[in-house]
Amino acid sequence: MDVKGQINKIVEEISKNPNIKEEFEKEPVKVIEKVIGIDLPDDVVMKIIDGVKAKITIDGVSKAADALKGMFR
């Protein structure tokens, strides 16, 4: 399984749908298995959860930095 690809797929889905983001914050395992469409071993799910959370955080910081750059131009 391509864990990185699955992380990107889930982040994309969360970005498009605020309801899924809210659900992910409450029940990440359920959302991941719903988006991917299969039941995964716990260790794989935890890696994906960590990756999604990290990517969401990095993307959020990047967007905030871009907004700040725009303010000082």
Side-chain angles (χ1 to χ4, degrees), residues 38-58:
I38 56 174
D39 186 20
L40 298 169
D42 290 346
D43 61 323
V44 174
V45 170
M46 295 313 293
K47 287 178 187 177
I48 293 173
I49 290 170
D50 291 343
V52 169
K53 287 181 179 179
K55 187 151 178 64
I56 289 172
T57 300
I58 290 170

Side-chain angles (χ1 to χ4, degrees), residues 21-49:
K21 182 177 183 182
E22 187 177 311
E23 189 177 340
F24 177 79
E25 291 170 359
K26 294 177 185 174
E27 298 184 69
V29 173
K30 185 177 176 182
V31 170
I32 287 171
E33 291 179 346
K34 178 177 160 183
V35 171
I36 293 174
I38 56 174
D39 186 20
L40 298 169
D42 290 346
D43 61 323
V44 174
V45 170
M46 295 313 293
K47 287 178 187 177
I48 293 173
I49 290 170

